[in-house]
Amino acid sequence: MALGGALVRALFVPLELIRTGAELLGEKDFTTTFREVGQPEMDALVGVYNQMVLRLREERLKLEEQNLFLEKLLAASPAGV
């Protein structure tokens, strides 16, 4: 019975993790990362997801900084664009 429970858990935990990650990305939540679960395949997936989220968060921050700079530049410009 315990083996069956472990097998079901091993099958559904990855699916739940993937579903949750997809929902977070759909909501544009790039702040949430996952912890490793102790299964090599899942830990590799978690690592890829966390790296992807970190890169998306950095890109979003970079774009926000560029937009703020452009807004300040246009506001300070004596001539309209």
Side-chain angles (χ1 to χ4, degrees):
M1 202 57 134
L3 180 63
L7 190 59
V8 168
R9 195 172 334 109
L11 192 62
F12 285 108
V13 167
L15 294 176
E16 181 67 21
L17 181 68
I18 291 169
R19 185 187 63 78
T20 302
E23 285 177 1
L24 291 170
L25 290 175
E27 295 170 2
K28 295 182 176 30
D29 178 356
F30 305 132
T31 59
T32 303
T33 57
F34 293 113
R35 283 189 264 171
E36 293 182 348
V37 296
Q39 298 174 358
E41 296 85 7
M42 283 306 301
D43 290 348
L45 181 61
V46 165
V48 169
Y49 178 87
N50 288 342
Q51 288 176 354
M52 178 180 62
V53 167
L54 176 62
R55 178 170 272 170
L56 288 170
R57 184 173 45 224
E58 289 171 351
E59 288 295 322
R60 174 179 268 188
L61 180 61
K62 183 178 175 182
L63 286 173
E64 288 176 11
E65 289 172 348
Q66 288 175 347
N67 284 336
L68 286 174
F69 176 74
L70 181 59
E71 286 176 14
K72 287 182 180 182
L73 184 66
L74 290 175
S77 176
V81 176

Coordinates of all heavy atoms in Angstrom, one line a residue:
M1 N 0.8 -1.2 0.0 CA 0.0 0.0 0.0 C 0.9 1.3 0.0 O 0.6 2.2 -0.7 CB -0.9 0.0 1.2 CG -2.2 0.8 1.1 SD -3.1 0.4 -0.3 CE -4.7 0.4 0.3
A2 N 1.9 1.3 0.8 CA 2.8 2.4 0.9 C 3.5 2.6 -0.5 O 3.8 3.7 -0.9 CB 3.9 2.2 2.0
L3 N 3.8 1.5 -1.2 CA 4.5 1.6 -2.5 C 3.5 2.3 -3.5 O 4.0 3.1 -4.3 CB 4.9 0.2 -3.0 CG 5.6 0.2 -4.3 CD1 6.9 1.0 -4.3 CD2 5.9 -1.2 -4.7
G4 N 2.3 1.9 -3.4 CA 1.3 2.5 -4.3 C 1.1 4.0 -4.0 O 1.1 4.8 -5.0
G5 N 1.1 4.4 -2.8 CA 1.0 5.8 -2.4 C 2.3 6.6 -2.9 O 2.1 7.7 -3.4
A6 N 3.4 6.0 -2.7 CA 4.7 6.7 -3.2 C 4.7 6.8 -4.7 O 5.1 7.8 -5.2 CB 5.9 5.9 -2.7
L7 N 4.2 5.8 -5.4 CA 4.1 5.8 -6.8 C 3.2 6.9 -7.3 O 3.5 7.6 -8.2 CB 3.7 4.4 -7.4 CG 3.8 4.2 -8.9 CD1 5.3 4.4 -9.3 CD2 3.4 2.8 -9.2
V8 N 2.0 7.0 -6.7 CA 1.0 8.0 -7.1 C 1.6 9.4 -6.8 O 1.5 10.3 -7.6 CB -0.3 7.8 -6.3 CG1 -1.2 9.0 -6.5 CG2 -1.0 6.5 -6.8
R9 N 2.2 9.6 -5.6 CA 2.8 10.8 -5.3 C 3.9 11.2 -6.3 O 4.0 12.3 -6.7 CB 3.4 10.8 -3.9 CG 3.7 12.1 -3.3 CD 4.1 12.1 -1.8 NE 3.6 11.0 -1.1 CZ 4.3 9.9 -0.6 NH1 5.6 9.9 -0.8 NH2 3.7 9.0 0.1
A10 N 4.8 10.2 -6.7 CA 5.8 10.5 -7.6 C 5.3 10.9 -9.0 O 6.0 11.6 -9.7 CB 6.7 9.2 -7.7
L11 N 4.1 10.4 -9.3 CA 3.5 10.8 -10.6 C 2.8 12.1 -10.6 O 2.9 12.9 -11.5 CB 2.5 9.7 -10.9 CG 2.0 9.7 -12.4 CD1 3.1 9.4 -13.3 CD2 0.9 8.6 -12.5
F12 N 2.1 12.4 -9.5 CA 1.3 13.6 -9.4 C 2.0 14.9 -8.9 O 1.7 16.0 -9.3 CB 0.0 13.4 -8.6 CG -1.0 12.6 -9.3 CD1 -1.2 11.3 -9.0 CD2 -1.7 13.1 -10.4 CE1 -2.1 10.5 -9.6 CE2 -2.6 12.3 -11.1 CZ -2.8 11.0 -10.7
V13 N 3.1 14.7 -8.1 CA 3.8 15.9 -7.7 C 4.4 16.6 -8.9 O 4.3 17.9 -8.9 CB 4.9 15.5 -6.6 CG1 5.9 16.6 -6.4 CG2 4.2 15.1 -5.3
P14 N 5.1 16.0 -9.8 CA 5.6 16.7 -11.0 C 4.5 17.4 -11.8 O 4.7 18.5 -12.2 CB 6.3 15.6 -11.8 CG 6.6 14.5 -10.9 CD 5.5 14.6 -9.8
L15 N 3.4 16.8 -11.9 CA 2.3 17.4 -12.7 C 1.8 18.7 -11.9 O 1.5 19.7 -12.6 CB 1.1 16.4 -12.9 CG 1.5 15.2 -13.8 CD1 0.3 14.3 -13.8 CD2 1.8 15.7 -15.2
E16 N 1.7 18.6 -10.6 CA 1.2 19.7 -9.8 C 2.3 20.8 -9.9 O 1.9 22.0 -10.0 CB 1.0 19.3 -8.4 CG 0.6 20.4 -7.5 CD -0.8 20.9 -7.8 OE1 -1.6 20.2 -8.4 OE2 -1.1 22.0 -7.4
L17 N 3.5 20.5 -9.9 CA 4.6 21.5 -10.0 C 4.5 22.2 -11.3 O 4.6 23.4 -11.4 CB 5.9 20.9 -9.8 CG 7.1 21.8 -9.8 CD1 7.1 22.7 -8.6 CD2 8.4 21.0 -9.9
I18 N 4.3 21.5 -12.4 CA 4.3 22.1 -13.7 C 3.0 22.9 -13.8 O 3.1 24.0 -14.4 CB 4.3 21.0 -14.8 CG1 5.7 20.3 -14.8 CG2 3.9 21.5 -16.1 CD1 5.7 19.0 -15.6
R19 N 1.9 22.5 -13.3 CA 0.7 23.2 -13.4 C 0.8 24.6 -12.6 O 0.5 25.6 -13.1 CB -0.5 22.4 -12.8 CG -1.8 23.1 -12.9 CD -3.0 22.4 -12.2 NE -2.7 22.3 -10.8 CZ -3.0 23.4 -9.9 NH1 -3.4 24.5 -10.4 NH2 -2.8 23.2 -8.7
T20 N 1.4 24.5 -11.4 CA 1.6 25.7 -10.6 C 2.5 26.7 -11.3 O 2.2 27.9 -11.3 CB 2.1 25.3 -9.2 OG1 1.2 24.4 -8.6 CG2 2.3 26.5 -8.3
G21 N 3.6 26.2 -11.8 CA 4.5 27.0 -12.5 C 3.9 27.7 -13.7 O 4.1 28.9 -13.9
A22 N 3.1 27.0 -14.5 CA 2.4 27.6 -15.6 C 1.4 28.6 -15.2 O 1.3 29.7 -15.8 CB 1.7 26.5 -16.4
E23 N 0.7 28.4 -14.1 CA -0.2 29.4 -13.6 C 0.5 30.7 -13.2 O 0.1 31.8 -13.5 CB -1.0 28.9 -12.4 CG -2.1 27.9 -12.8 CD -2.8 27.3 -11.5 OE1 -2.5 27.7 -10.4 OE2 -3.7 26.4 -11.7
L24 N 1.6 30.5 -12.5 CA 2.4 31.7 -12.0 C 2.9 32.5 -13.2 O 2.9 33.7 -13.2 CB 3.6 31.2 -11.1 CG 3.2 30.7 -9.8 CD1 4.4 30.0 -9.1 CD2 2.6 31.8 -8.9
L25 N 3.4 31.8 -14.2 CA 3.9 32.5 -15.4 C 2.7 33.2 -16.1 O 2.9 34.3 -16.6 CB 4.6 31.5 -16.4 CG 5.9 31.0 -15.9 CD1 6.4 29.9 -16.9 CD2 6.9 32.1 -15.8
G26 N 1.6 32.5 -16.2 CA 0.4 33.1 -16.8 C -0.1 34.4 -16.1 O -0.6 35.3 -16.7
E27 N 0.2 34.4 -14.7 CA -0.1 35.6 -13.9 C 1.0 36.6 -13.9 O 0.9 37.6 -13.2 CB -0.5 35.2 -12.5 CG -1.7 34.3 -12.4 CD -1.9 33.7 -11.0 OE1 -1.0 34.0 -10.1 OE2 -2.8 32.9 -10.8
K28 N 2.0 36.4 -14.7 CA 3.2 37.2 -14.8 C 3.9 37.4 -13.4 O 4.4 38.4 -13.1 CB 2.9 38.6 -15.4 CG 2.5 38.4 -16.9 CD 2.3 39.8 -17.4 CE 1.9 39.8 -18.9 NZ 1.3 38.8 -19.6
D29 N 3.8 36.3 -12.6 CA 4.5 36.3 -11.3 C 5.9 35.7 -11.5 O 6.1 34.5 -11.6 CB 3.7 35.5 -10.3 CG 4.4 35.4 -8.9 OD1 5.5 35.9 -8.8 OD2 3.8 34.8 -8.0
F30 N 6.9 36.6 -11.5 CA 8.2 36.2 -11.7 C 9.1 36.2 -10.4 O 10.3 36.3 -10.5 CB 8.9 37.0 -12.8 CG 8.2 37.0 -14.1 CD1 7.9 38.2 -14.8 CD2 7.7 35.9 -14.7 CE1 7.2 38.2 -16.0 CE2 7.0 35.9 -15.9 CZ 6.8 37.1 -16.5
T31 N 8.4 36.3 -9.3 CA 9.0 36.3 -8.0 C 9.1 35.0 -7.3 O 9.9 34.8 -6.4 CB 8.3 37.4 -7.1 OG1 7.0 37.0 -6.9 CG2 8.4 38.8 -7.7
T32 N 8.2 34.1 -7.7 CA 8.1 32.8 -7.0 C 9.0 31.8 -7.6 O 9.1 31.6 -8.8 CB 6.7 32.3 -7.1 OG1 5.8 33.2 -6.5 CG2 6.5 31.0 -6.3
T33 N 9.8 31.1 -6.7 CA 10.7 30.1 -7.2 C 10.3 28.8 -6.4 O 9.6 28.9 -5.4 CB 12.2 30.4 -6.9 OG1 12.4 30.7 -5.6 CG2 12.6 31.6 -7.8
F34 N 10.8 27.7 -6.9 CA 10.5 26.4 -6.3 C 11.7 25.8 -5.6 O 12.8 26.1 -6.0 CB 10.0 25.4 -7.3 CG 8.6 25.7 -7.9 CD1 8.5 26.1 -9.2 CD2 7.5 25.7 -7.1 CE1 7.3 26.4 -9.8 CE2 6.3 26.0 -7.7 CZ 6.2 26.4 -9.0
R35 N 11.5 25.0 -4.6 CA 12.6 24.3 -3.9 C 12.7 22.9 -4.5 O 11.8 22.4 -5.0 CB 12.3 24.2 -2.4 CG 12.5 25.4 -1.6 CD 12.4 25.2 -0.2 NE 11.0 25.5 0.2 CZ 10.5 25.2 1.4 NH1 11.1 24.6 2.3 NH2 9.2 25.6 1.6
E36 N 13.9 22.4 -4.4 CA 14.2 21.1 -4.9 C 13.4 20.1 -4.1 O 13.3 20.3 -2.9 CB 15.7 20.8 -5.0 CG 16.4 21.7 -6.0 CD 17.9 21.4 -6.0 OE1 18.4 20.7 -5.1 OE2 18.6 21.9 -7.0
V37 N 13.0 19.0 -4.7 CA 12.2 18.0 -4.0 C 13.0 16.7 -3.7 O 12.5 15.8 -3.1 CB 10.9 17.6 -4.8 CG1 10.1 18.9 -4.9 CG2 11.3 17.1 -6.2
G38 N 14.2 16.6 -4.2 CA 15.0 15.4 -3.9 C 15.0 14.3 -5.0 O 15.5 13.3 -4.8
Q39 N 14.2 14.6 -6.0 CA 14.2 13.7 -7.2 C 15.0 14.3 -8.3 O 14.7 15.4 -8.7 CB 12.8 13.4 -7.7 CG 11.9 12.8 -6.6 CD 10.4 12.7 -7.1 OE1 10.1 13.2 -8.2 NE2 9.6 12.2 -6.3
P40 N 16.0 13.6 -8.8 CA 17.0 14.2 -9.8 C 16.2 14.9 -11.0 O 16.6 16.0 -11.4 CB 17.9 13.1 -10.2 CG 17.8 12.1 -9.1 CD 16.4 12.3 -8.5
E41 N 15.3 14.2 -11.5 CA 14.6 14.8 -12.7 C 13.8 16.0 -12.3 O 13.8 17.0 -13.1 CB 13.6 13.7 -13.3 CG 14.3 12.5 -13.9 CD 14.6 11.4 -12.8 OE1 14.2 11.6 -11.7 OE2 15.3 10.4 -13.1
M42 N 13.1 15.9 -11.2 CA 12.3 17.1 -10.8 C 13.2 18.3 -10.4 O 12.9 19.4 -10.6 CB 11.4 16.7 -9.6 CG 10.2 15.9 -10.0 SD 9.2 16.8 -11.3 CE 8.8 18.3 -10.5
D43 N 14.3 17.9 -9.7 CA 15.3 19.0 -9.3 C 15.8 19.7 -10.5 O 16.0 20.9 -10.5 CB 16.4 18.4 -8.4 CG 15.9 18.0 -7.0 OD1 14.7 18.3 -6.7 OD2 16.6 17.3 -6.3
A44 N 16.1 19.0 -11.6 CA 16.6 19.6 -12.8 C 15.5 20.5 -13.4 O 15.8 21.6 -13.8 CB 17.0 18.5 -13.8
L45 N 14.3 20.1 -13.4 CA 13.1 20.9 -13.9 C 13.0 22.1 -13.0 O 12.8 23.2 -13.5 CB 11.9 20.1 -13.9 CG 10.6 20.8 -14.4 CD1 10.8 21.2 -15.9 CD2 9.4 19.8 -14.3
V46 N 13.1 22.0 -11.7 CA 13.0 23.1 -10.8 C 14.1 24.1 -11.1 O 13.9 25.3 -11.1 CB 13.0 22.6 -9.3 CG1 13.3 23.8 -8.4 CG2 11.7 21.9 -9.0
G47 N 15.3 23.6 -11.3 CA 16.4 24.5 -11.6 C 16.2 25.3 -12.9 O 16.5 26.5 -12.9
V48 N 15.7 24.6 -13.9 CA 15.5 25.3 -15.2 C 14.4 26.4 -15.0 O 14.5 27.5 -15.4 CB 15.1 24.3 -16.3 CG1 14.5 25.0 -17.5 CG2 16.2 23.5 -16.7
Y49 N 13.3 26.0 -14.3 CA 12.2 27.0 -14.0 C 12.7 28.2 -13.2 O 12.4 29.3 -13.6 CB 11.1 26.3 -13.2 CG 10.0 27.2 -12.9 CD1 8.9 27.4 -13.8 CD2 9.9 27.9 -11.7 CE1 7.9 28.3 -13.6 CE2 8.9 28.8 -11.4 CZ 7.9 29.0 -12.3 OH 6.9 29.9 -12.1
N50 N 13.5 27.9 -12.2 CA 14.0 29.0 -11.4 C 14.9 29.9 -12.1 O 14.9 31.2 -12.0 CB 14.7 28.5 -10.1 CG 13.7 27.9 -9.1 OD1 12.5 28.1 -9.2 ND2 14.2 27.1 -8.2
Q51 N 15.8 29.4 -13.0 CA 16.6 30.2 -13.8 C 15.8 31.0 -14.8 O 16.1 32.2 -15.1 CB 17.6 29.3 -14.6 CG 18.7 28.7 -13.7 CD 19.6 27.8 -14.5 OE1 19.4 27.5 -15.7 NE2 20.7 27.3 -13.8
M52 N 14.8 30.4 -15.4 CA 13.9 31.1 -16.3 C 13.2 32.3 -15.7 O 13.2 33.4 -16.2 CB 12.9 30.2 -17.0 CG 12.0 30.8 -17.9 SD 10.8 29.7 -18.6 CE 9.9 29.2 -17.2
V53 N 12.7 32.0 -14.5 CA 12.0 33.1 -13.7 C 12.9 34.2 -13.4 O 12.6 35.4 -13.5 CB 11.3 32.5 -12.5 CG1 10.8 33.6 -11.6 CG2 10.1 31.6 -12.9
L54 N 14.1 33.9 -12.9 CA 15.1 34.9 -12.6 C 15.4 35.8 -13.8 O 15.5 37.0 -13.7 CB 16.4 34.2 -12.1 CG 17.5 35.2 -11.7 CD1 17.1 36.2 -10.6 CD2 18.8 34.4 -11.3
R55 N 15.6 35.1 -14.9 CA 16.0 35.9 -16.2 C 14.8 36.8 -16.6 O 15.0 37.9 -17.0 CB 16.3 35.0 -17.3 CG 16.6 35.8 -18.6 CD 17.2 34.9 -19.6 NE 18.6 35.0 -19.4 CZ 19.5 34.2 -20.1 NH1 19.1 33.3 -20.9 NH2 20.8 34.3 -19.8
L56 N 13.6 36.3 -16.5 CA 12.4 37.1 -16.8 C 12.2 38.3 -15.9 O 11.9 39.4 -16.3 CB 11.1 36.2 -16.8 CG 10.9 35.2 -17.9 CD1 9.8 34.3 -17.6 CD2 10.7 36.0 -19.2
R57 N 12.5 38.0 -14.6 CA 12.4 39.1 -13.6 C 13.5 40.2 -13.9 O 13.2 41.4 -13.8 CB 12.6 38.5 -12.2 CG 12.5 39.5 -11.1 CD 12.5 38.9 -9.7 NE 13.6 38.0 -9.5 CZ 13.4 36.8 -8.9 NH1 12.2 36.4 -8.4 NH2 14.4 35.9 -8.8
E58 N 14.7 39.8 -14.2 CA 15.8 40.7 -14.6 C 15.4 41.5 -15.8 O 15.6 42.7 -15.9 CB 17.1 40.0 -14.8 CG 17.7 39.5 -13.5 CD 18.9 38.5 -13.7 OE1 19.2 38.2 -14.9 OE2 19.5 38.2 -12.7
E59 N 14.8 40.9 -16.8 CA 14.4 41.5 -18.1 C 13.3 42.5 -17.8 O 13.3 43.6 -18.3 CB 14.0 40.5 -19.1 CG 15.2 39.7 -19.7 CD 16.1 40.6 -20.5 OE1 15.7 41.5 -21.2 OE2 17.4 40.3 -20.4
R60 N 12.4 42.1 -17.0 CA 11.3 43.0 -16.6 C 11.8 44.3 -15.9 O 11.4 45.4 -16.2 CB 10.2 42.3 -15.8 CG 9.1 43.3 -15.3 CD 8.1 42.6 -14.5 NE 7.1 42.1 -15.4 CZ 6.0 41.6 -15.0 NH1 5.8 41.4 -13.7 NH2 5.0 41.2 -15.8
L61 N 12.7 44.1 -15.0 CA 13.3 45.2 -14.3 C 14.0 46.1 -15.2 O 13.9 47.4 -15.1 CB 14.2 44.7 -13.1 CG 14.9 45.8 -12.3 CD1 13.9 46.6 -11.6 CD2 15.8 45.1 -11.3
K62 N 14.8 45.5 -16.1 CA 15.6 46.3 -17.1 C 14.7 47.2 -18.0 O 14.9 48.4 -18.2 CB 16.4 45.4 -17.9 CG 17.3 46.1 -18.9 CD 18.1 45.0 -19.7 CE 19.0 45.7 -20.8 NZ 19.7 44.7 -21.5
L63 N 13.6 46.6 -18.4 CA 12.6 47.3 -19.2 C 11.9 48.4 -18.5 O 11.7 49.6 -19.0 CB 11.5 46.4 -19.8 CG 12.0 45.5 -20.9 CD1 10.9 44.5 -21.3 CD2 12.4 46.3 -22.2
E64 N 11.6 48.2 -17.2 CA 11.0 49.2 -16.4 C 12.0 50.4 -16.2 O 11.6 51.6 -16.2 CB 10.5 48.7 -15.0 CG 9.3 47.8 -15.1 CD 9.0 47.1 -13.8 OE1 9.5 47.5 -12.8 OE2 8.1 46.2 -13.8
E65 N 13.2 50.1 -15.9 CA 14.2 51.1 -15.8 C 14.4 51.9 -17.1 O 14.5 53.2 -17.0 CB 15.6 50.5 -15.4 CG 15.6 50.0 -14.0 CD 16.9 49.2 -13.6 OE1 17.7 48.9 -14.5 OE2 17.1 48.9 -12.4
Q66 N 14.4 51.3 -18.2 CA 14.5 52.0 -19.5 C 13.3 52.9 -19.7 O 13.5 54.0 -20.2 CB 14.7 51.0 -20.6 CG 16.0 50.3 -20.6 CD 16.1 49.2 -21.7 OE1 15.1 48.8 -22.3 NE2 17.3 48.8 -22.0
N67 N 12.1 52.4 -19.4 CA 10.9 53.2 -19.6 C 10.9 54.4 -18.7 O 10.6 55.5 -19.1 CB 9.7 52.4 -19.3 CG 9.4 51.4 -20.5 OD1 9.8 51.7 -21.6 ND2 8.6 50.4 -20.2
L68 N 11.4 54.2 -17.4 CA 11.4 55.4 -16.5 C 12.5 56.4 -17.0 O 12.2 57.6 -17.0 CB 11.8 54.9 -15.1 CG 10.7 54.2 -14.3 CD1 11.3 53.7 -13.0 CD2 9.6 55.2 -14.1
F69 N 13.6 55.9 -17.5 CA 14.6 56.8 -18.0 C 14.0 57.6 -19.2 O 14.2 58.8 -19.3 CB 15.9 56.1 -18.4 CG 16.9 56.9 -19.1 CD1 17.7 57.8 -18.3 CD2 17.1 56.9 -20.5 CE1 18.6 58.6 -18.9 CE2 18.1 57.7 -21.1 CZ 18.8 58.5 -20.3
L70 N 13.4 56.9 -20.1 CA 12.8 57.6 -21.3 C 11.7 58.6 -20.9 O 11.7 59.7 -21.4 CB 12.2 56.5 -22.2 CG 11.6 57.0 -23.5 CD1 12.6 57.8 -24.4 CD2 10.9 55.9 -24.3
E71 N 10.9 58.3 -19.9 CA 9.9 59.2 -19.4 C 10.6 60.5 -18.9 O 10.1 61.6 -19.1 CB 9.0 58.6 -18.4 CG 8.0 57.6 -18.9 CD 7.2 56.9 -17.8 OE1 7.2 57.4 -16.7 OE2 6.6 55.9 -18.1
K72 N 11.6 60.3 -18.1 CA 12.3 61.5 -17.5 C 13.0 62.3 -18.6 O 13.0 63.5 -18.5 CB 13.4 61.0 -16.5 CG 12.7 60.5 -15.2 CD 13.8 60.1 -14.2 CE 13.2 59.6 -12.9 NZ 14.2 59.2 -11.9
L73 N 13.6 61.6 -19.6 CA 14.2 62.3 -20.7 C 13.2 63.1 -21.5 O 13.5 64.3 -21.8 CB 14.9 61.3 -21.6 CG 15.7 61.8 -22.7 CD1 16.9 62.6 -22.2 CD2 16.2 60.7 -23.6
L74 N 12.1 62.5 -21.8 CA 11.1 63.3 -22.5 C 10.5 64.4 -21.7 O 10.2 65.5 -22.2 CB 9.9 62.3 -22.9 CG 10.3 61.3 -24.0 CD1 9.2 60.3 -24.3 CD2 10.7 62.0 -25.3
A75 N 10.3 64.2 -20.4 CA 9.8 65.3 -19.5 C 10.8 66.5 -19.4 O 10.4 67.6 -19.3 CB 9.5 64.7 -18.2
A76 N 12.1 66.2 -19.5 CA 13.1 67.2 -19.4 C 13.4 67.9 -20.7 O 14.1 68.9 -20.7 CB 14.4 66.6 -18.8
S77 N 13.0 67.3 -21.8 CA 13.3 67.8 -23.1 C 12.6 69.1 -23.4 O 11.3 69.1 -23.2 CB 13.0 66.7 -24.2 OG 13.2 67.3 -25.4
P78 N 13.3 70.1 -23.8 CA 12.6 71.4 -24.1 C 11.7 71.3 -25.3 O 10.7 72.1 -25.4 CB 13.7 72.4 -24.3 CG 14.9 71.6 -24.6 CD 14.7 70.2 -24.0
A79 N 12.0 70.5 -26.2 CA 11.1 70.4 -27.4 C 10.4 69.1 -27.4 O 10.9 68.0 -26.9 CB 12.0 70.4 -28.7
G80 N 9.1 69.1 -27.8 CA 8.3 67.9 -27.9 C 8.8 66.9 -29.0 O 9.5 67.3 -29.9
V81 N 8.5 65.7 -28.8 CA 8.9 64.7 -29.8 C 7.8 64.5 -30.7 O 6.7 64.4 -30.4 CB 9.3 63.4 -29.1 CG1 9.7 62.3 -30.1 CG2 10.5 63.7 -28.1

